[in-house]
């Protein structure tokens, strides 16, 4: 049942997406405007052919999720952070930030798919440019913090 | 019911005997083929390899080398590694590591230690979890699979170390390597995202920068590792050893 639905959905989408170059069916026809997927920011090709990805990305992601969670495999082809790395495109409101909103969410909104991934996984990436190192996630802030603490300790920290 | 995904010791009965047997086979393996055993154990997992029960990751905390400030270094390093920011509601802020100040009331001697998930061999949190979200990974790291956590918080009550926190609020800008979200339980992950690619936990790294030797991370099953050598020389403390949880986080000097 679910499979049949998925197939339908996928066929529909494939048609919809391939029809995207044709003039879009406007809202004046009383129809929901077609999704306008952002072009991938990195890479020439997806991890699988686009037709396969359209239909099966959710299964790939779920398998990858469990492989990472339970088996600690970190270099998987279908990593969610990997999707974000390639598919996040610049946010017009904050050019230092890239987001997958205009790719994943654009399509999901159209197809009425709701995922909760972004309540934990960050759909936004801060571009690595020298100017915004302070906004970068990861160890950069830990490094400065440790530096400050070291200085502090060298001076003889007052034991509170 | 146990959610231990490695040894599958379901009963808990006769545990001490099993330990003796296991220890005996381990020694036999070492003496029968020492060269092979050492190489096999010392090799770190490649990022693409699955974890195995050949490792058991642990941390030895040497509290004699730690003061309040060093404990705070651990806490701050953890907070910034995992993006644990203040929400403005202090009672609801997550604590993956907290500083514990203890004092002997008879002598007045006082010191501090970092308290966090003890990564038990027999984790009570996993025993009570109704969905299997709390689990002990085969290499000894106790985690929450937040994808299937329903936020019931039984595990928080079951944990004798008070090591878990609940995400009461939406999390702004979570770190990509440490996703967290409202309605799920969170705790120290022993920095799996680093360990899986051959790194060490953020707290251990930071503490050793300011107080070398205060925290040792390593493989308790690798007889050549620094941590295994150290724990075979000195008597370590397992917090609430009476409960038989067999923690992977061990303390010296408490």
């Amino acid at each position: 049942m679910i499979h049949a639905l998925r197939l339908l959905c996928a066929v529909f989408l494939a048609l919809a997406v391939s029809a995207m170059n044709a003039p879009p069916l406007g809202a004046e026809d009383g129809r929901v405007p077609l999704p306008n997927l952002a072009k991938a920011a990195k890479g020439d090709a997806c991890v699988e052919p686009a037709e396969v990805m359209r239909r099966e990305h959710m299964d790939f992601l779920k398998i990858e999720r469990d492989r990472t969670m339970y088996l600690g495999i970190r270099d998987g082809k279908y990593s969610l952070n990997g999707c974000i790395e390639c598919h996040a495109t610049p946010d017009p409101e904050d050019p230092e930030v890239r987001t997958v909103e205009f790719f994943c969410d654009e399509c999901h909104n159209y197809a009425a798919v709701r995922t909760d991934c972004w309540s934990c996984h960050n759909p936004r990436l801060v571009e690595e440019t020298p100017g915004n190192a302070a906004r970068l996630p990861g160890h950069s802030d830990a490094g400065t913090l440790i530096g400050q603490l070291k200085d502090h300790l060298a001076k003889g920290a007052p034991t509170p | 019911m146990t959610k231990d995904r490695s040894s599958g010791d379901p009963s808990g009965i006769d545990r001490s005997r099993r330990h003796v047997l296991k220890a005996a086979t381990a020694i036999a393996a070492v003496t029968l083929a020492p060269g092979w055993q050492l190489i096999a154990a010392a090799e770190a997992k490649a990022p693409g390899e699955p974890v195995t029960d050949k490792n058991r990751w642990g941390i030895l905390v040497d509290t004699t080398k730690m003061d309040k400030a060093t404990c705070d270094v651990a806490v701050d390093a953890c907070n910034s590694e995992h993006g644990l920011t203040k929400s403005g509601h202090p009672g609801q802020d997550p604590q993956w590591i907290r500083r514990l100040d203890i004092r002997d009331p008879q002598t007045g001697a006082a010191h501090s230690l970092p308290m966090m998930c003890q990564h038990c061999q027999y984790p009570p949190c996993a025993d009570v979890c109704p969905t299997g979200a709390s689990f002990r990974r085969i290499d000894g790291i106790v985690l929450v699979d937040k994808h299937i956590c329903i936020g019931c918080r039984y595990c928080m009550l079951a944990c004798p170390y008070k090591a878990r926190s609940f995400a009461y609020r939406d999390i702004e800008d979570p770190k990509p390597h440490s996703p967290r979200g409202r309605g799920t339980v969170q705790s120290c992950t022993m920095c799996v995202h680093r360990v899986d690619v051959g790194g060490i936990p953020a707290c251990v790294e930071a503490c050793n920068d300011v107080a070398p030797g205060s925290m040792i991370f390593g493989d308790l099953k690798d007889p050549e590792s620094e941590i295994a050598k150290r724990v075979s020389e000195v008597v370590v403390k397992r917090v609430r050893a009476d409960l038989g949880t067999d923690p992977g986080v061990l303390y010296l000097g408490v």
Side-chain angles (χ1 to χ4, degrees), chain A residues 70-72 74-75 120 122 139, chain B residues 5 45 47 51 145 173-174 196:
Chain A
Y70 300 121
L71 304 177
R74 296 274 162 185
D75 66 350
C120 294
N122 199 332
H139 321 312
Chain B
R5 298 198 179 162
K45 173 184 103 58
V51 293
D145 182 350
D173 211 17
D196 281 345

Side-chain angles (χ1 to χ4, degrees), chain B residues 36-53:
Chain B
W36 176 83
Q37 181 77 11
L38 294 186
I39 290 162
E43 246 171 47
K45 173 184 103 58
E49 267 174 40
V51 293
T52 65
D53 63 358

Side-chain angles (χ1 to χ4, degrees), chain A residues 3-16:
Chain A
H3 237 84
L5 267 178
R6 204 171 256 189
L7 189 72
L8 252 172
C9 228
V11 168
F12 179 57
L13 267 166
L15 284 175

Side-chain angles (χ1 to χ4, degrees), chain A residues 65-66 68-75 81 119-122 136-139 141-142 145-146 149-150 153 157 160, chain B residues 5 45 47-48 50-51 68-69 76 80-81 135 137 144-145 147 173-176 179-181 194 196 206 209-210:
Chain A
R65 178 191 97 181
D66 288 350
T68 304
M69 256 343 288
Y70 300 121
L71 304 177
I73 293 172
R74 296 274 162 185
D75 66 350
N81 280 334
S119 69
C120 294
H121 293 273
N122 199 332
L136 278 181
H139 321 312
D141 37 356
L145 193 83
I146 291 164
L149 276 157
K150 259 187 185 163
L153 288 177
Chain B
R5 298 198 179 162
K45 173 184 103 58
V51 293
K68 280 186 180 170
D76 291 340
S80 74
E81 175 75 12
F135 69 104
R137 210 171 72 165
V144 181
D145 182 350
H147 303 104
D173 211 17
K175 302 275 177 190
R180 304 180 300 122
R194 287 165 160 242
D196 281 345
D209 269 352
V210 292

